Amino acid sequence: MLQEKVITGNSGWAMVGVLLAGIPVAVALLVVAEEMDMPWLIAIAIPLLIVDAVCWFGLTVVSPNTARVVLLFGDYKGSIKTPGFRWVSPLTLRRTVSLKVRNFESSKLKVNDHIGNPIEIAAIVVWRVVETAEAVFHVDDYEHFVHVQTESAVRVLATSFPYDAHEEGEISLRGSAAECSQRLREEITERVAKAGVEVIEARISHLAYAPEIANAMLRRQQATAIIAARQKIVEGAVGMVEMALDLLNSKRVVQLDEERKATMVSNLLVVLCSDRDAQPVVNTGTLYQ
C-alpha cells in the first residue's frame, strides 16, 4: 500500500530571489548579443527567460492544517505539510488536502434494532485526515467514503443492541450511551482506516422509535413505569404495615387475633396502595361487630 512521504520543498522566497535575478541577466545577455553581434548569446538568453518564466509556476502556498500532495507525471513524490511559501518543480501536480478537524451528522436511518423493532437513528462523527497519500490514492473521494461508511457502521450498531434494556445489565441504545458511542467509533475507525482518516469522536445524535410503533412503545414505557412505581409502593406499604403491627404489639395498645390482623393488614394495604384518597368508615361498635 502507498504510504505517506513527507517532503519540505524549497524556500519560496529564496526561489523568488533567484528568478528575479535571472531576468536582468537574460536581458543583459540579449543587449550584449545585439551590441557585440554575438548571436550565440541569444541562444542562451531566450531559453533562460523561458525557464525563468516556467519556474514561477512552481511557487506554492501551504496554509496551516493543510497539505499539498505532489505528483510528477503520475509518480507520488511526497506531501508538503510545513506551512509557508514553498517551491517545487513546476511540472508537478499539487493537490490540496485539508488536515482540519471536521464533523458531520449522518442522515436519519430507519433500521430494526436487535429484537426487530423499527427505529430511527443518526450519529455525529468528528474526524480528520492523517495520511494524505491514503486519502488521495486509496479511495476515490475520501469525504464521501467517510459518510457512506459511517451510515453503514450506524446500521450495524443499531442491529447489535436493543432500543431499551429488558434485563438487568443489558446494553441498550438508549440506556448505554457511552458504550454505544465507543462501539460506534471503533466500527467507523475500522472501516475508514484505509482512507487515512482518524475518527476523533462518534456519538448518537438522534434515537427514536419509528412513527408507526411510537405510540405503542410509549404506552409500553408508561406501563413499565407504572408497574415499577406500584412495586415500590407495595414494598413501602408492606413495611409500614409490619411496623404498625410491631408497634401495636410492643406497646400493648390492643391485642389482635390472626383474623383481625388479616383485616387490619388488608385495610392498611388498600389505603396505602390505592391511587385515590381512601374514604374511611368509622366503626362505632366493637371489633367483632
Side-chain angles (χ1 to χ4, degrees), residues 8-141:
T8 59
N10 299 309
S11 173
W13 297 113
M15 198 62 188
V16 166
V18 172
L19 296 177
L20 289 176
I23 295 175
V25 170
V27 172
L29 290 176
L30 290 175
V31 173
V32 171
E34 183 178 356
E35 291 180 352
M36 302 185 66
D37 193 20
M38 301 175 64
W40 59 274
L41 289 178
I42 298 177
I44 297 176
I46 293 179
L48 181 60
L49 285 174
I50 294 175
V51 171
D52 189 282
V54 171
C55 285
W56 284 96
F57 293 97
L59 297 172
T60 184
V61 177
V62 182
S63 303
N65 283 327
T66 302
R68 288 295 189 102
V69 179
V70 181
L71 292 88
L72 180 60
F73 301 118
D75 184 21
Y76 172 62
K77 292 300 182 181
S79 301
I80 304 175
K81 290 186 172 182
T82 304
F85 190 40
R86 318 301 298 173
W87 183 88
V88 294
S89 171
L91 301 178
T92 57
L93 176 65
R94 284 145 277 167
R95 180 172 176 179
T96 302
V97 178
S98 175
L99 304 179
K100 298 177 182 178
V101 176
R102 286 176 271 186
N103 71 90
F104 74 97
E105 183 175 10
S106 68
S107 57
K108 294 180 182 179
L109 305 176
K110 185 177 179 180
V111 296
N112 292 334
D113 68 359
H114 185 63
I115 59 177
N117 293 323
I119 63 173
E120 292 181 347
I121 187 172
I124 292 178
V125 179
V126 182
W127 62 282
R128 65 178 178 181
V129 174
V130 292
E131 290 284 341
T132 56
E134 293 181 354
V136 172
F137 302 117
H138 287 182
V139 294
D140 185 49
D141 184 343

